[in-house]
Amino acid sequence: MKKGLIFVLFALVSIVSYSQVSWNAKVGMNMSNFTGDAETDMKIGFNVGVGMEYQFTEMWSIQPSLMFTTKGAKAKIEESGYELKITDNPMYLEIPVLAAARFAVADNQNIVVKAGPYFAFGIAGKEKYEAGGKSEKIDIFGDGDDQAGMKRFDAGIGVGVAYEINKFFIDLTGEFGLTKLYDGDGSGKNMNFSIGVGYKF
């Protein structure tokens, strides 16, 4: 019992003594779509934000971030020679909280594998309709007469891998939403893949 307690205390002291905090800034390109019953196509967007990394050991860390990100999807409806294009462009403030494992591959070069939840809140965005050479936009969040009815809150799971070279890194991330974007059966959920670059301070 005493040996076990001593081991736990030693492990805690080692973690505390090693603990390191660093900051980073990153920007990337999104390739987003909706899952669900509707047939939609991928839409290109972007993300930008800042992050923190708290390292427990040389290998293990946690990486929370604050990101501004655009997601959404495109759809095309064709019937009797009539074509309607719909583009959803929701914009979110997003907080991913990812656990990460770092593996050294060369001097000052690492591969980082990470996974964890994300939480997002919709702050703006439009739903655009195009038909017959004319277009119209409405607010995508809210359920008023001039709003598309998309829910503001989104949450899901993120997984990714990064390659670090000194203070620079290249990042590949996939996000899979777990919350419905609209009320009703068959509602889609966010799905997003991004590639980005960043710098650690």
Side-chain angles (χ1 to χ4, degrees):
M1 181 68 179
K2 289 184 178 180
K3 290 183 178 179
L5 181 60
I6 291 173
F7 176 79
V8 171
L9 290 173
F10 178 77
L12 290 174
V13 170
S14 299
I15 290 173
V16 171
S17 63
Y18 180 84
S19 297
Q20 298 180 17
V21 175
S22 62
W23 300 86
N24 61 75
K26 46 193 170 184
V27 61
M29 179 184 73
N30 288 343
M31 293 162 281
S32 60
N33 206 338
F34 296 153
T35 63
D37 294 342
E39 294 185 7
T40 55
D41 297 319
M42 181 184 70
K43 185 184 79 66
I44 301 298
F46 72 94
N47 64 80
V48 61
V50 294
M52 183 194 82
E53 180 173 25
Y54 186 90
Q55 281 190 257
F56 301 103
T57 67
E58 288 187 6
M59 181 177 182
W60 295 102
S61 66
I62 187 169
Q63 299 181 347
S65 302
L66 176 62
M67 306 294 296
F68 174 81
T69 183
T70 65
K71 297 185 180 181
K74 299 188 294 184
K76 183 186 294 185
I77 301 173
E78 298 182 7
E79 185 174 345
S80 301
Y82 177 82
E83 182 179 272
L84 172 64
K85 296 180 180 179
I86 305 173
T87 303
D88 287 341
N89 186 41
M91 304 177 186
Y92 295 94
L93 280 180
E94 182 175 289
I95 301 177
V97 183
L98 307 181
R102 178 175 280 100
F103 304 93
V105 294
D107 289 343
N108 296 317
Q109 297 184 39
N110 305 291
I111 291 177
V112 183
V113 180
K114 50 193 175 179
Y118 76 84
F119 308 92
F121 185 79
I123 57 172
K126 297 289 184 178
E127 185 169 74
K128 182 180 180 181
Y129 299 88
E130 297 177 90
K134 298 181 180 180
S135 65
E136 180 182 355
K137 294 181 180 179
I138 62 174
D139 291 336
I140 198 165
F141 295 111
D143 54 5
D145 293 338
D146 58 347
Q147 297 172 320
M150 182 179 286
K151 296 180 179 180
R152 289 187 181 272
F153 179 74
D154 182 37
I157 299 295
V159 295
V161 61
Y163 190 82
E164 299 176 335
I165 305 175
N166 293 317
K167 291 184 176 294
F168 295 92
F169 61 89
I170 301 171
D171 186 90
L172 297 172
T173 304
E175 293 181 332
F176 306 90
L178 300 177
T179 61
K180 291 183 177 181
L181 297 174
Y182 297 92
D183 290 324
D185 297 333
S187 170
K189 301 174 183 178
N190 274 318
M191 179 174 63
N192 185 59
F193 297 94
S194 67
I195 179 171
V197 295
Y199 182 82
K200 300 197 302 181
F201 300 97

